[in-house]
Amino acid sequence: MSPRQRLSPADRRAQLLTVGARLFAARPYDDVLMEEVAEEAGVSRALLYRHFPSKHALFAAVYQQAADQLLAETRLDPADSLVEQLIQGMDVHLDYFVANRNAVLAANRVLAGDPVVQTIMTNELDALRTRLLAVLPRADESAREAVSAVLKSWLVFVQVLCVDWLTHETCTRTQLRDVCIGAVLGALRPLLTEDPAPEWPPQRPHASA
């Protein structure tokens, strides 16, 4: 164990979250031990458990921090086209998924029935849906509820597809991203009076005969 540094409670908690995030990203959930977190952080197990009473509590805090960071980094800037916003948001999430594969699989597979972790993911998806509704071309009130339902279902679709892709990469990352973007644009077009992305799909060169 490295020499213990005297930190404020907030700084100590942040340090433990950093160590926990690194270990949960590096190895499957079941292989991460609280004793190892304490050793890596240079603290006693008693101090670790004072901040996080269980491995589950530590993981939930790590995942909440990740969800907050993903929301902060997902720009959804109305100055950009809808496709540009979708590409940026997908890339931010895919960057995290790839770098933190074990943590993402833990949240979606090992802890799939856990209400705390599932609430974290549901809240992030709801926040993303609200942001997307704000940047889409205005729909009349009769269509707005349908658009919201489409976005909710699409976000779950993206989550499931990306988790499956992390388990077995059946296509390239760019193909995965474009499948997800194409799916939401295709689902929204019948509901909106204005095409949300007339530039999509991009023109691809035809294969020679």
Side-chain angles (χ1 to χ4, degrees):
M1 180 184 295
S2 59
R4 184 184 304 178
Q5 296 175 296
R6 296 187 66 85
L7 299 174
S8 69
D11 287 343
R12 179 65 70 191
R13 186 177 191 276
Q15 180 213 19
L16 294 172
L17 284 173
T18 298
V19 172
R22 184 170 68 248
L23 292 176
F24 285 125
R27 291 200 293 281
Y29 179 82
D30 290 340
D31 292 348
V32 176
L33 303 177
M34 289 292 273
E35 290 82 356
E36 185 180 11
V37 176
E39 182 177 356
E40 289 264 342
V43 303
S44 67
R45 284 184 291 177
L47 180 57
L48 171 60
Y49 281 108
R50 200 177 305 157
H51 285 272
F52 301 102
S54 66
K55 182 168 74 170
H56 170 271
L58 175 61
F59 181 85
V62 165
Y63 217 72
Q64 180 66 69
Q65 180 176 262
D68 293 342
Q69 183 177 343
L70 287 170
L71 282 174
E73 293 178 359
T74 301
R75 189 169 61 242
L76 293 181
D77 186 345
D80 295 333
S81 72
L82 178 61
V83 168
E84 288 172 331
Q85 295 173 71
L86 290 170
I87 288 174
Q88 191 270 339
M90 285 294 307
D91 281 342
V92 164
H93 282 76
L94 286 171
D95 285 345
Y96 176 79
F97 293 164
V98 171
N100 298 272
R101 176 181 175 276
N102 285 309
V104 174
L105 292 178
N108 288 274
R109 296 283 170 84
V110 180
L111 300 172
D114 181 82
V116 175
V117 174
Q118 294 308 306
T119 296
I120 292 169
M121 291 193 289
T122 298
N123 289 343
E124 191 210 349
L125 295 184
D126 284 345
L128 288 170
R129 176 175 49 152
T130 298
R131 292 187 185 186
L132 284 167
L133 277 170
V135 300
L136 280 171
R138 290 190 176 275
D140 58 42
E141 284 304 315
S142 62
R144 186 172 179 80
E145 188 173 348
V147 169
S148 179
V150 164
L151 291 175
K152 181 177 182 178
S153 298
W154 174 72
L155 287 164
V156 173
F157 162 78
V158 170
Q159 180 182 16
V160 171
L161 189 61
C162 289
V163 170
D164 285 347
W165 181 78
L166 287 175
T167 306
H168 181 48
E169 295 185 17
T170 54
C171 61
T172 68
R173 171 179 159 153
T174 299
Q175 287 171 330
L176 173 69
R177 185 193 69 191
D178 288 354
V179 164
C180 293
I181 292 172
V184 71
L185 295 177
L188 288 173
R189 279 183 171 124
L191 299 172
L192 300 174
T193 54
E194 177 186 339
D195 190 334
E199 75 276 27
W200 189 273
Q203 294 298 317
R204 303 189 188 279
H206 294 291
S208 57

